[in-house]
C-alpha cells in the first residue's frame, strides 16, 4: 500500500521534534522505575480498572504514558506513527524495567492489521492531541470497535475544539473546527519546553532552546459532536462525556495560571470555557 503523503510528512515532522521534547525531561527511566507516573486523574477515571487488562495506547508518542499504565498492571501495546518516538519508548521501557510492546505504524494500518490478526483489547486509550491527527474519524472509530472485546472500553482525553477558536491571547479568532478541514502548520512545536515542567514530571531541563521544526505538518479540524457521532455510528455506546475548564500539562495560551497538579487555568479576566474534554465509550457485551 502506498503511504499517504500527508501522513508521511507528519511522520517526518514528529521525528524532527522528538529530540527537542525529550531534551526537557530529566531521567524519565528512574522516575518511572521509582513509581512515578505521567498520567492525570481524568484519564484514569475514564479507563476504569486496568490491572490485568490488555490495553492498546494509540498515538502513544514517546511512551511514558504507556509505561505509566503498564506500571499499574495493564498489558500495554503502544502505537505511534513516529519511528523516533517509538525508538525512545522502547529504550525507556528497557531502562525503566517496565515491560510494554511498542509498534511503529500509521494508526489505520495498525488497527486493520490487528483486527485481521485476531488481536483484541479490553481497554483502548488515546489522549491529548490525538483527534487533530486523524484524517478519517469514521475509519478510526470503526477500527477501534473491531479490536475491542465485548464489554471493552475506549477512553479519550482531548483538548476541547472550542479552545481552537481562540488566539494565543484569548481573542475569538477562528471558526469552530468541523468536517476534518485540513490545517497546514510550519511543524510540530516544542510544547514540552513551553509548558516549563508541567509536561516533565520527572524534572524539567532547559534542553533544546528556540526549536524550529524544519518539517511542516497538516492537522485535521473536528468538532466534539463529530467525534461522538463517529464512535456511536461504529456501534459503541457512550458511557460518559465530561468537559473541563482547565488544561492538563500543556500551556496553549498566554497568561495561564499554573496549579500545583500540573494543570493550567485561564487568567481571572477570561470567562470559563471548556479547554479539555474526556469521553468513554463501550462495546456492548453481546456484540461479537
Amino acid at each position: 500500500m502506498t503511504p499517504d503523503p500527508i501522513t508521511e510528512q507528519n511522520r517526518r515532522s514528529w521525528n524532527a521534534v522528538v529530540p527537542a521534547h525529550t531534551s526537557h525531561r530529566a531521567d524519565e527511566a528512574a522516575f518511572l522505575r521509582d513509581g512515578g507516573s505521567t498520567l492525570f486523574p481524568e484519564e484514569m477515571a475514564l479507563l476504569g480498572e486496568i490491572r490485568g487488562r490488555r490495553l492498546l495506547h494509540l498515538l502513544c508518542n514517546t511512551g511514558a504514558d504507556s509505561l505509566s499504565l503498564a506500571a499499574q498492571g495493564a498489558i500495554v501495546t503502544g502505537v505511534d506513527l513516529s519511528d523516533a518516538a517509538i525508538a525512545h519508548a522502547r529504550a525507556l521501557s528497557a531502562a525503566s524495567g517496565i515491560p510494554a510492546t511498542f509498534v511503529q505504524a500509521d494508526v489505520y494500518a495498525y488497527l486493520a492489521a490487528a483486527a485481521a490478526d485476531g488481536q483484541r483489547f479490553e481497554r483502548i486509550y488515546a489522549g491529548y492531541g490525538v483527534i487533530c491527527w486523524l484524517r478519517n474519524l469514521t475509519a478510526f472509530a470503526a477500527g477501534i470497535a473491531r479490536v475491542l472485546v465485548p464489554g471493552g472500553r475506549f477512553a479519550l482525553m482531548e483538548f476541547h475544539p472550542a479552545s481552537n477558536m481562540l488566539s494565543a491571547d484569548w481573542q475569538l479568532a477562528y471558526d469552530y473546527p468541523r468536517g476534518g478541514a485540513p490545517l497546514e502548520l510550519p511543524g510540530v512545536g516544542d510544547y514540552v519546553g513551553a509548558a516549563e515542567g508541567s509536561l516533565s514530571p520527572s524534572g524539567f531541563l532547559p534542553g533544546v532552546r528556540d526549536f524550529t521544526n524544519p518539517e511542516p505538518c497538516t492537522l485535521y479540524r473536528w468538532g466534539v459532536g463529530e467525534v461522538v457521532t463517529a464512535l456511536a455510528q461504529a456501534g459503541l455506546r457512550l458511557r460518559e462525556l465530561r468537559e473541563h475548564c482547565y488544561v492538563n500539562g500543556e500551556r496553549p495560551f498566554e497568561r495561564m495560571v499554573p496549579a500545583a497538579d500540573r494543570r493550567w487555568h485561564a487568567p481571572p479576566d477570561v470567562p470559563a470555557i471548556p479547554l479539555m474534554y474526556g469521553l468513554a465509550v463501550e462495546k456492548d457485551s453481546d456484540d461479537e
Side-chain angles (χ1 to χ4, degrees):
M1 180 182 296
T2 303
D4 173 66
I6 294 178
T7 301
E8 280 297 292
Q9 180 57 44
N10 285 345
R11 182 185 65 81
R12 289 191 288 269
S13 193
W14 276 105
N15 281 351
V17 80
V18 163
H21 286 177
T22 57
S23 75
H24 301 297
R25 293 168 173 148
D27 194 342
E28 278 189 300
F31 173 75
L32 294 168
R33 190 167 55 244
D34 293 340
S37 175
T38 58
L39 301 168
F40 290 91
E42 289 83 0
E43 53 260 33
M44 297 311 301
L46 291 170
L47 280 165
E49 179 58 53
I50 63 171
R51 183 168 298 278
R53 305 304 204 265
R54 291 166 293 177
L55 188 152
L56 175 62
H57 184 187
L58 298 174
L59 287 79
C60 68
N61 200 257
T62 52
D65 285 355
S66 302
L67 295 174
S68 295
L69 292 164
Q72 296 192 35
I75 304 163
V76 174
T77 298
V79 178
D80 198 88
L81 177 66
S82 167
D83 32 300
I86 289 298
H88 182 87
R90 289 170 177 165
L92 189 58
S93 175
S96 66
I98 302 172
T101 300
F102 290 101
V103 180
Q104 187 276 321
D106 173 45
V107 64
Y108 299 99
Y110 175 83
L111 288 170
D117 195 39
Q119 296 184 53
R120 299 294 182 267
F121 300 90
E122 284 86 17
R123 296 287 186 272
I124 301 178
Y125 171 64
Y128 302 104
V130 168
I131 296 301
C132 63
W133 298 103
L134 301 178
R135 60 188 182 270
N136 187 326
L137 275 184
T138 299
F140 180 72
I144 286 171
R146 282 193 293 269
V147 298
L148 269 178
V149 301
R153 184 183 303 178
F154 168 63
L156 171 72
M157 278 301 307
E158 190 54 278
F159 303 116
H160 203 293
S163 69
N164 297 141
M165 300 174 68
L166 303 176
S167 64
D169 60 353
W170 299 98
Q171 300 302 304
L172 186 62
Y174 308 106
D175 292 338
Y176 184 76
R178 62 189 186 277
L183 176 65
E184 296 181 2
L185 296 177
V188 183
D190 186 12
Y191 55 81
V192 178
E196 296 182 344
S198 55
L199 288 173
S200 308
S202 62
F204 180 71
L205 300 174
V208 174
R209 298 177 185 271
D210 302 319
F211 174 77
T212 299
N213 198 322
E215 299 286 353
C217 62
T218 300
L219 280 61
Y220 303 92
R221 295 166 57 80
W222 301 102
V224 173
E226 293 171 316
V227 174
V228 175
T229 297
L231 293 166
Q233 290 180 342
L236 300 172
R237 177 172 49 84
L238 183 66
R239 178 185 175 92
E240 58 183 302
L241 171 62
R242 299 184 181 275
E243 297 171 294
H244 307 279
C245 295
Y246 55 83
V247 180
N248 286 341
E250 192 167 335
R251 186 174 66 169
F253 300 104
E254 298 172 359
R255 301 189 295 114
M256 295 196 81
V257 179
D261 50 11
R262 295 195 291 130
R263 288 178 177 151
W264 293 93
H265 297 263
D269 60 310
V270 173
I273 61 170
L275 300 177
M276 187 175 74
Y277 74 98
L279 64 80
V281 294
E282 294 183 343
K283 185 173 183 176
D284 287 338
S285 56
D286 58 352
D287 286 352
E288 295 184 356

